[in-house]
Amino acid sequence: MGKIKVNEIEKHDASEITVNSTVKIDTIAEKTSGAGVTVDGLTIKDTGFDEPVKMKSYTTTEMNNLSGMGAGDTIYNSTVGTLYVYNGLIWSAMSDTTFVVTVDYLVIAGGASGSTQHGGGGGAGGYRASYSNDTSGGGASSETALSITAGANFTVTVGAGGAAVTGTGNVSIDFSNNGSDSVFNSITSTGGGRAGSWSGHAGQTGGSGGGGSTGQSGGAGTANQGFAGGAGGAQSGSTYTSGGGGGAGGAGGAGTASVTGAGGAGVASTITGSSVTRGGGGSGGMYRGGNDSANSHQGAGGSGGGGTGSISNSANRAINGSAGTVNTGGGGGGTGSNVVSSYAGGSGLVILRYPNSYSIANAGGGLTFTTATVGSDKVSTFTAGTGTCSFS
């Protein structure tokens, strides 16, 4: 028996189909089981489709270049991951973009410089982390990863370390500079707190607090970012010691009668695939009467990039200190009174870890970064600059 091929169905109801007013099918049996009816690979049953419904896919550029559309035409926009319908005038999205990137981060601010005039050590930059079981600064737990819409701009800023300064002999001035904040989208880490200098200056509040000068308190750290700086030691004869800057992982040490305060410890992160410690505070400086400037009096810089304070004596001899390490947020070491140039804080860092299927795009503002593949993820490490970028 041959087939009847029909180009047009004029009308139908629950029991009858009329074709071109002449051919009528009187009985329509409801199909309740079986393979269903397949048209161009799409199977239709009484319960619906048993395969995904596939709309024609276009990028945003391709969609905007289409012509000859009618109201109700629908396509899938592969740029933003949602359906678009043409309303007779424009293409309109049926929902917000469905592409959202889950991003883990490590955001470290710049560390503060140490202070002159037997000054304290600089506080480390604020430290915030979300990856795996890595902890944040100040003893806080790991934070929650951010969800970033693909294609949307977000800001990255790598905070500079506090600049070194040169003393003028005016002991009423704090010879230290705060570190600068680092930023990833809504996450901001606070720059390290500057150190106190002689006479009468305490360490200042920051991501981690600055160390105090002789007889002065250390500055407070910022909650969930870093610890406080240590207090300066009491004057002992002609010996003046200062406190260490706070670190992301521990408070700065207090100065004693014979040893400067050590810098607070940093915190380890595994976001790059290996464990690296950053965010150490700078140790304090000392002036020691006589000719004794042995390094046994020198407290250590905090693990993770904290600088070491210098020691000077009345014979104008000195053991030099060091700056905070670049891209660790480490605080700079303090100085003795005959060493008038302080030590700079280390610059900060922003590290992002995200699925390998995405890439950083449209980076501007002089941002400096590198990207490596780690397992099924990419890791982008920003070492300088500020600007916006996006995920594509």
Side-chain angles (χ1 to χ4, degrees):
M1 180 177 179
K3 297 181 179 179
I4 299 176
K5 296 183 178 181
V6 177
N7 292 326
E8 180 179 343
I9 297 174
E10 184 174 277
K11 63 180 180 177
H12 66 87
D13 56 29
S15 60
E16 183 178 272
I17 294 176
T18 299
V19 181
N20 295 333
S21 300
T22 56
V23 179
K24 294 185 178 181
I25 302 172
D26 293 326
T27 301
I28 302 174
E30 181 180 7
K31 189 170 185 63
T32 59
S33 63
V37 177
T38 300
V39 179
D40 289 337
L42 179 65
T43 301
I44 306 172
K45 294 184 177 182
D46 64 321
T47 55
F49 303 132
D50 68 352
E51 296 291 339
V53 177
K54 295 182 179 180
M55 299 293 181
K56 181 65 176 177
S57 177
Y58 296 94
T59 67
T60 297
T61 299
E62 291 170 337
M63 178 187 74
N64 290 333
N65 288 332
L66 292 175
S67 61
M69 300 83 67
D73 287 355
T74 304
I75 60 99
Y76 172 74
N77 185 316
S78 60
T79 301
V80 295
T82 191
L83 296 177
Y84 271 68
V85 63
Y86 191 73
N87 64 10
L89 296 174
I90 60 171
W91 288 104
S92 295
M94 302 294 285
S95 71
D96 293 333
T97 178
T98 60
F99 294 149
V100 176
V101 188
T102 300
V103 187
D104 280 297
Y105 54 84
L106 174 62
V107 181
I108 306 175
S113 61
S115 182
T116 60
Q117 304 296 323
H118 33 89
Y127 187 110
R128 298 182 65 178
S130 74
Y131 179 69
S132 186
N133 294 318
D134 291 352
T135 56
S136 290
S141 300
S142 183
E143 299 185 2
T144 301
L146 291 188
S147 294
I148 303 293
T149 300
N153 286 340
F154 59 88
T155 298
V156 173
T157 299
V158 178
V165 294
T166 299
T168 63
N170 183 347
V171 296
S172 66
I173 299 174
D174 276 334
F175 297 126
S176 177
N177 285 309
N178 292 331
S180 297
D181 295 352
S182 287
V183 176
F184 162 53
N185 200 47
S186 60
I187 303 300
T188 298
S189 291
T190 304
R194 65 181 184 170
S197 62
W198 186 71
S199 147
H201 295 290
Q204 302 298 299
T205 299
S208 292
S213 185
T214 303
Q216 300 299 317
S217 62
T222 299
N224 304 320
Q225 295 192 32
F227 286 90
Q235 180 181 350
S236 176
S238 59
T239 297
Y240 303 81
T241 61
S242 56
T256 70
S258 60
V259 181
T260 65
V267 172
S269 172
T270 60
I271 193 170
T272 60
S274 59
S275 181
V276 180
T277 300
R278 305 176 181 88
S283 66
M286 174 192 285
Y287 172 79
R288 188 170 178 82
N291 295 327
D292 183 4
S293 56
N295 58 14
S296 60
H297 304 299
Q298 199 172 30
S303 60
T308 303
S310 68
I311 300 174
S312 63
N313 61 31
S314 58
N316 223 16
R317 291 198 281 273
I319 293 176
N320 290 330
S322 59
T325 303
V326 172
N327 294 137
T328 67
T335 67
S337 64
N338 291 325
V339 181
V340 293
S341 180
S342 73
Y343 298 100
S347 55
L349 188 71
V350 174
I351 301 177
L352 307 180
R353 184 162 178 158
Y354 49 93
N356 196 38
S357 55
Y358 291 95
S359 298
I360 297 288
N362 304 316
L367 283 167
T368 300
F369 70 100
T370 59
T371 299
T373 299
V374 181
S376 59
D377 293 331
K378 285 180 182 173
V379 177
S380 292
T381 301
F382 294 81
T383 55
T386 183
T388 59
C389 45
S390 61
F391 288 107
S392 63

